[in-house]
Amino acid sequence: MIHEKKSMGKTIGILTGGGDCPGLNPAIRGVVMRAQDFGYQCVGLLEGWKGLVEGNTMPLTVADVKEIVVKGGTILGTSRTNPFKKGTEKQCVENFKKLGLDALVACGGEDTLGVAGKFFKEFKLSVVGVPKTMDNDLSATDFTFGFDTATTIAMDAVERLRDTGRSHRRIMVLEVMGRHAGWVAVYTAIAGAADWLCVPEEPVNVQKMCAHLKGAHARNKVAIVVASEAITIPGEKVEGEELDEFGHMLLKNRGVADRLATIIEKETKIETRSATIGHIQRGGGPTLFDRILGTRVGVKAAELIKEGKFGQMVALRGNEVVGVSLEEATAKLKTVPSDWLRFAEIFFK
């Protein structure tokens, strides 16, 4: 349902698309708070790009966002809607005008920001992007909010698995999210003192892994493997997986942890159990780092709008938040380079 604009001041629309993660609400708060300094009002588009397709909005006043910095998820809701896939992009442009929007802040990852970039390039919509992904796989920014919280939760899971694994003298496999970038797995493995790491960037060396795990288990009475959800296990074929609206494989049915546990137990003859942390990584209040980063990029998004710098995404470069082109931001997936993998191996003793 379209709610027509009544105010004569500038209006900023805000949407959150793709997978949710901690830090979205702080980002929404940052935009709204800074926009008020410029005399702008904000409205939320519900459930990502679907909100612009259908014209569904909610008001976003300072009172509405004052305390959401502590909350996980997104008060606006989200979806993986791709207007260009559904052929509703012109409807979005019409609704942009009907809603009286002067600018739009799109909070999301590679897919959501890719859509924002197309709207800017093809329809000249006044859009600004805010990078959100727990996968930390956007190449134009050093970190994305959601990553720190998700990895902190995964690190806690490793510690808990180690306790129960040692009690039963088992090898434990933890599957973490991250899609086709292994950043969550790498940070979790290093910070959680895991014994082995499996990431999408390199095929799993089963023989080397199992030999190492046998030695680690003999010394410590437990061994921990951290595996990213999109790894490749040599000799196994993955076929017929469902695709989302952006052409990405849905990884929910891969069962990486179970498959690895079966292989490890067969090769090592040591009882092995698996756990998948899944969407637990997405929920709960954001860490301090993600609250501050989400807030900073939200504020910067409002400032870019004030400066008329559209077609840009807010990026963290060192300790500074700056605007970079959406085209640059979505051009390449930021995967884990080999030097990070060799760094992690230092701690697999």
Side-chain angles (χ1 to χ4, degrees):
M1 178 180 178
I2 298 289
H3 295 89
E4 300 288 351
K5 175 182 172 184
K6 296 180 180 178
S7 170
M8 295 302 291
K10 284 192 175 182
T11 300
I12 300 174
I14 306 172
L15 66 80
T16 55
D20 69 300
C21 72
L24 280 168
N25 285 327
I28 294 167
R29 175 178 178 259
V31 176
V32 174
M33 291 286 200
R34 190 60 170 139
Q36 190 191 55
D37 294 339
F38 304 137
Y40 302 163
Q41 66 177 1
C42 294
V43 296
L45 297 166
L46 304 182
E47 301 175 29
W49 291 110
K50 182 180 178 182
L52 191 57
V53 171
E54 299 178 353
N56 289 332
T57 68
M58 65 175 283
L60 286 175
T61 66
V62 169
D64 294 319
V65 303
K66 175 89 169 114
E67 298 180 3
I68 64 172
V69 67
V70 306
K71 298 182 182 299
T74 164
I75 62 170
L76 299 178
T78 186
S79 70
R80 297 189 184 276
T81 302
N82 182 348
F84 290 92
K85 178 75 171 181
K86 290 181 173 294
T88 54
E89 63 271 24
K90 291 183 179 179
Q91 188 173 331
C92 287
V93 175
E94 291 173 5
N95 284 342
F96 186 94
K97 296 174 182 177
K98 288 180 180 178
L99 291 166
L101 300 181
D102 297 287
L104 173 65
V105 176
C107 306
E110 175 193 12
D111 297 329
T112 300
L113 297 180
V115 170
K118 288 190 75 171
F119 273 124
F120 174 73
K121 186 175 181 179
E122 297 182 17
F123 295 96
K124 308 303 180 186
L125 284 194
S126 301
V127 297
V128 169
V130 165
K132 171 273 340 163
T133 169
M134 56 162 283
D135 305 332
N136 199 39
D137 59 1
L138 286 171
S139 59
T141 185
D142 291 347
F143 285 98
T144 56
F145 63 77
F147 173 72
D148 186 74
T149 306
T151 309
T152 298
I153 293 168
M155 185 175 62
D156 179 69
V158 167
E159 295 172 9
R160 294 171 186 272
L161 288 174
R162 180 178 291 110
D163 289 343
T164 185
R166 180 175 283 119
S167 297
H168 291 273
R169 310 306 198 237
R170 291 169 174 161
I171 296 174
M172 309 296 289
V173 180
L174 176 67
E175 177 185 332
V176 298
M177 286 184 166
R179 296 199 63 80
H180 299 288
W183 291 107
V184 174
V186 169
Y187 273 60
T188 300
I190 295 172
D195 299 289
W196 201 256
L197 168 68
C198 301
V199 293
E201 287 81 358
E202 290 187 353
V204 179
N205 187 326
V206 174
Q207 286 70 36
K208 186 177 180 181
M209 173 181 67
C210 290
H212 178 77
L213 291 176
K214 286 176 72 174
H217 184 272
R219 289 191 306 272
N220 305 317
K221 301 180 177 62
V222 64
I224 303 290
V225 178
V226 175
S228 191
E229 62 184 339
I231 61 171
T232 300
I233 302 174
E236 291 194 358
K237 285 188 176 181
V238 180
E239 298 177 345
E241 288 191 288
E242 186 182 352
L243 303 181
D244 66 16
E245 291 187 9
F246 294 92
H248 298 308
M249 284 189 297
L250 298 175
L251 303 171
K252 60 183 179 180
N253 297 322
R254 276 205 172 188
V256 162
D258 288 342
R259 287 157 51 208
L260 268 183
T262 299
I263 292 170
I264 291 168
E265 183 165 320
K266 180 180 178 181
E267 294 291 325
T268 64
K269 304 300 188 287
I270 300 170
E271 188 176 12
T272 306
R273 293 288 185 271
S274 64
T276 302
I277 193 168
H279 288 78
I280 293 172
Q281 285 184 271
R282 292 196 182 278
T287 58
L288 170 63
F289 182 87
D290 282 341
R291 293 184 194 194
I292 298 301
L293 180 57
T295 299
R296 291 183 73 193
V297 296
V299 166
K300 184 64 175 181
E303 292 174 348
L304 288 176
I305 290 171
K306 176 68 164 57
E307 296 164 7
K309 295 179 178 178
F310 302 113
Q312 294 197 1
M313 181 196 83
V314 183
L316 179 68
R317 298 279 179 87
N319 195 40
E320 300 297 320
V321 285
V322 299
V324 299
S325 75
L326 278 168
E327 188 173 7
E328 176 191 351
T330 58
K332 183 180 178 182
L333 195 70
K334 183 176 73 176
T335 55
V336 179
S338 60
D339 59 340
W340 262 101
L341 300 179
R342 304 294 79 82
F343 176 72
E345 289 175 357
I346 293 171
F347 308 100
F348 300 156
K349 296 290 195 284

